Amino acid sequence: MSRYEFVLFDADDTLLDFKRSEHEAVCDVMHSFGLPVSDDIVEKYSRINDMHWKMLEKGEIEKKRLYYSRWEKFCEFYGYSCDPAKVAKKYEECLSNKSYLMEGALDLCQKLYGKCKIYLVTNGNKRVQEGRFNPSALHTYFEGIFISEDIGYEKPRAEFFDRVFSRIPGFIHERTIIVGDSLTSDIAGGINAGIDTCWYNPKSKPTPENMEITYIKNNLSEIEDVVLWGK
């Protein structure tokens, strides 16, 4: 019997390579609107996007507004006259077709399959996340996918986790762990929900002193031992 029976995996930048998907999608959008694009321009959009998702986690913006607002801010910064709503719609279309895995993600899920039950928990856009996850090789190894738009709340809200737990057959807090790269979303949410946490920290960022994180791992290959043996 493995140490953890239920494993909740974050999607973006944990199992799915969001940075690559985002970069390609932004480039596609800029080309489609006849706008210049460079690595610096993509990075600027990425920073604006990250800022909006942090606002969402804090309840400072509604998700529907987020999809439009990030492009509005981006276009304002560069002085583009195109309609941010049309840009946002095109971006969603482009991003939903970008399905790439983080290195080691498939191998990890294959090794865990049959030894525990794994689920995906994500705040991402429903159309985008299903479009990227469902065609991937990971899909067959998962018991289910929980998207905040379906749940009605975002990570790290306790209500998000309560609803996820209620939909997992035989759920047991003590036998559950969440694995993710975001301290503010995945780890804070897991701690507040009373389950163990594994911070996937590939860039070896400093560990915050005020968070009681159960495990910290820098490589996906190390997470198999966490799940199976608790080490």
Side-chain angles (χ1 to χ4, degrees), residues 34-185:
L35 299 172
V37 66
S38 65
D39 288 346
D40 288 342
I41 289 174
V42 175
E43 179 60 28
K44 179 61 180 180
Y45 167 78
S46 184
R47 289 197 298 269
I48 292 174
N49 181 52
D50 287 345
M51 176 188 71
H52 278 74
W53 283 101
K54 289 293 187 293
M55 291 169 61
L56 181 72
E57 291 172 7
K58 297 175 183 177
E60 297 174 352
I61 191 173
E62 293 183 354
K63 181 172 280 187
K64 289 183 179 180
R65 173 63 180 163
L66 177 153
Y67 297 148
Y68 170 86
S69 178
R70 57 188 177 179
W71 285 105
E72 183 178 49
K73 299 298 183 185
F74 176 80
C75 291
E76 285 179 357
F77 180 84
Y78 285 106
Y80 298 145
S81 58
C82 50
D83 183 350
K86 292 181 179 179
V87 179
K89 184 176 181 180
K90 181 64 177 178
Y91 176 72
E92 181 180 312
E93 174 190 331
C94 293
L95 188 60
S96 66
N97 294 317
K98 307 292 184 182
S99 181
Y100 303 111
L101 303 182
M102 299 291 284
E103 183 177 354
L106 179 58
D107 183 61
L108 172 61
C109 293
Q110 288 175 331
K111 288 179 177 178
L112 294 181
Y113 185 67
K115 299 172 185 176
C116 59
K117 297 178 180 178
I118 56 180
Y119 297 85
L120 200 72
V121 289
T122 175
N123 280 349
N125 176 288
K126 179 178 172 63
R127 175 190 178 188
V128 169
Q129 297 304 72
E130 290 182 341
R132 294 168 59 227
F133 180 72
N134 290 346
S136 78
L138 298 180
H139 187 261
T140 187
Y141 302 105
F142 279 69
E143 299 291 326
I145 173 173
F146 297 110
I147 303 175
S148 59
E149 289 181 19
D150 290 330
I151 296 297
Y153 296 96
E154 316 290 335
K155 294 181 295 182
R157 292 277 298 274
E159 294 92 340
F160 174 91
F161 287 91
D162 288 342
R163 291 194 177 184
V164 167
F165 298 162
S166 71
R167 299 179 189 185
I168 296 178
F171 174 80
I172 302 172
H173 278 82
E174 293 75 16
R175 301 266 288 143
T176 303
I177 189 169
I178 183 169
V179 180
D181 70 298
S182 172
L183 288 171
T184 56
S185 176

